[in-house]
Amino acid sequence: MAHFVIIGAGECGARAAFALREKGFDGKITLVGSEPHAPYERPPLSKAGLVGNVDPKFIAARESYETGNIRLLRGVTATGLDAAAHIVTLSDGSDLSYDRLLLATGASARAFPNAPAESRHIRSLRTYHDAVTLRAVLQPGKRIAVIGGGFIGLEVAATARQLGADVILVEGLERVLKRGVPEDIAHLVAERHCTEGVDLRCGVSIESLTEQGGKAIIRLSNDEAIEADLALVGIGARPNTELAESAGLVIDNGIAVDDRLRTSAPDIFAAGDCCSFPLTIYGGRRVRLESWRNAQEQGTLAAANMLGADEPVSAVPWFWSDQYEMTLQITGLADGAVAHLRRDLGEGAFILFHLDAEGRLIAASGIGPGNTVARDIRLAEMLIAARAHPNPAALTASNVKLKTLLAA
């Protein structure tokens, strides 16, 4: 009987396990997870997961693994991989032989250089355990220092303010959301945080991050020292490639896979945050995406290709972030755009359409309260997938429905 092993019990790995069953695989499936919990959703960790005594939002009920005959190993890590022998070694000393292997090892929060490795007052947010630790500090009278003005840092800052904690956010670049978010939208986000009382410091470098007297101490390049009850480090994530590297797999900003999610070793696939892959819709550009939907989609695609489907990666990238009452959504990759056209949607919501030099729509970015931008971002995603060259005037005219452009 064939045995498929999945290393990594996050969004991607869990989706792949269930997709294998849905696609008719009747062999053995082993899903290996390093955390003590069953697979859970990570996006709520920076939002609802920080509020009150909230349990993880599980991807599937525990009995679903038994019903699906999926062997779920929790609290165990893969410590070795022999690609030639098709054997994975686990931290409990056992070995797993496999016919096909999926590496869905995800990513880990980047540590601040030279900061204490183990500190109650200097934390990151990547796991449910991290969220539980943060909860105790996010309350009135506490001061939280957030290092990094990306999605995680800003979402935690918003949640902390809503819970009554004082927040100071330090970003080394000249603005927040520098990576992949247009300046107009980033400016609106920054204004919203400032209105809520976040002390926002951009263009400021940090000389050191230490712990002293039960506080986190952040020393800036101008010699100012910031004291906080907790410092949250949100400076990005690094792909977990150690296992793949030990087995000699090709690494290129993550585990390098082809457009079918195949690694450089036979019978080994990789998917989700840990891998980089070519996107045909962007000329074969190799990218690595850290997003919830990408993890879902690639888990399903990897399952299909492990079963011989030979289907290429075709999804258009999509990201989202909730902060206060605002939702930010981005589809596509705006690198190389030469035109940025704005469509106002009312209620303070708007979308920016990003076109390349040939007039092709390559990305769209929107922000607004609730779900005000969701429908048009979805239609923009479909236009991007169709490699459309829409009429610029029609894109900006709020009385012209995007659906008509898609039909054209």
Side-chain angles (χ1 to χ4, degrees), residues 9-86:
E11 187 77 41
C12 184
R15 297 291 178 187
F18 286 106
L20 285 170
R21 289 294 185 229
E22 291 163 5
K23 295 177 185 299
F25 179 63
D26 59 1
K28 295 192 295 182
I29 299 174
T30 300
L31 177 60
V32 181
S34 59
E35 294 188 57
H37 310 285
Y40 59 86
E41 306 277 8
R42 294 193 190 276
L45 295 181
S46 57
K47 304 179 245 329
L50 295 178
V51 181
N53 186 25
V54 179
D55 291 329
K57 182 181 179 182
F58 293 109
I59 292 171
R62 185 170 300 178
E63 56 269 21
S64 298
Y65 298 90
E66 297 177 6
T67 303
N69 195 22
I70 297 168
R71 183 188 179 201
L72 173 61
L73 303 181
R74 296 179 291 165
V76 180
T77 58
T79 57
L81 169 58
D82 187 331
H86 285 50

Side-chain angles (χ1 to χ4, degrees), residues 358-374:
E358 285 73 45
R360 176 184 157 197
L361 180 65
I362 59 173
S365 313
I367 190 168
N371 292 320
T372 50
V373 303

Side-chain angles (χ1 to χ4, degrees), residues 180-183 185 282 329-342 351-357 359-366 377 380 384 388 390 395:
V181 177
E183 187 171 357
I185 291 178
Y282 291 100
Q329 292 194 28
I330 298 173
T331 184
L333 302 174
D335 300 8
V338 299
H340 311 275
L341 308 177
R342 175 167 171 156
I351 289 180
L352 296 174
F353 296 100
H354 311 288
L355 281 65
D356 67 11
R360 176 184 157 197
L361 180 65
I362 59 173
S365 313
I377 286 290
I384 294 167
L395 285 177

Side-chain angles (χ1 to χ4, degrees), residues 78-254:
T79 57
L81 169 58
D82 187 331
H86 285 50
I87 293 176
V88 176
T89 301
L90 302 182
S91 56
D92 62 5
S94 64
D95 290 335
L96 292 174
S97 61
Y98 64 85
D99 293 284
R100 294 278 168 88
L101 175 69
L102 173 62
L103 299 176
T105 49
S108 298
R110 291 188 184 279
F112 193 89
N114 301 316
E118 297 290 335
S119 170
R120 292 176 49 224
H121 306 286
I122 301 172
R123 309 291 303 185
S124 58
L125 177 57
R126 192 74 189 179
T127 67
Y128 176 71
H129 173 72
D130 294 334
V132 170
T133 302
L134 286 173
R135 284 179 196 168
V137 188
L138 301 187
Q139 54 185 276
K142 297 292 186 178
R143 192 181 198 204
I144 310 301
V146 177
I147 300 174
F151 287 132
I152 288 293
L154 290 167
E155 288 173 1
V156 171
T159 304
R161 285 301 298 135
Q162 290 172 315
L163 293 172
D166 295 326
V167 179
I168 180 169
L169 188 148
V170 181
E171 167 57 58
L173 300 175
E174 66 271 19
R175 68 168 172 88
V176 299
L177 298 174
K178 182 72 174 179
R179 178 186 168 194
V181 177
E183 187 171 357
D184 288 0
I185 291 178
H187 178 70
L188 183 63
V189 171
E191 280 191 334
R192 187 71 185 84
H193 279 275
C194 290
T195 299
E196 289 293 332
V198 175
D199 184 355
L200 194 59
R201 312 276 188 94
C202 292
V204 179
S205 60
I206 296 174
E207 291 293 318
S208 65
L209 173 60
T210 58
E211 180 183 27
Q212 184 177 340
K215 301 282 187 180
I217 308 297
I218 303 169
R219 188 163 296 280
L220 306 181
S221 55
N222 61 6
D223 284 336
E224 179 186 358
I226 298 171
E227 185 177 285
D229 295 289
L230 183 139
L232 175 82
V233 179
I235 55 174
R238 59 169 185 81
N240 295 326
T241 61
E242 294 84 357
L243 185 66
E245 289 182 66
S246 72
L249 275 61
V250 173
I251 306 297
D252 182 1
N253 184 29

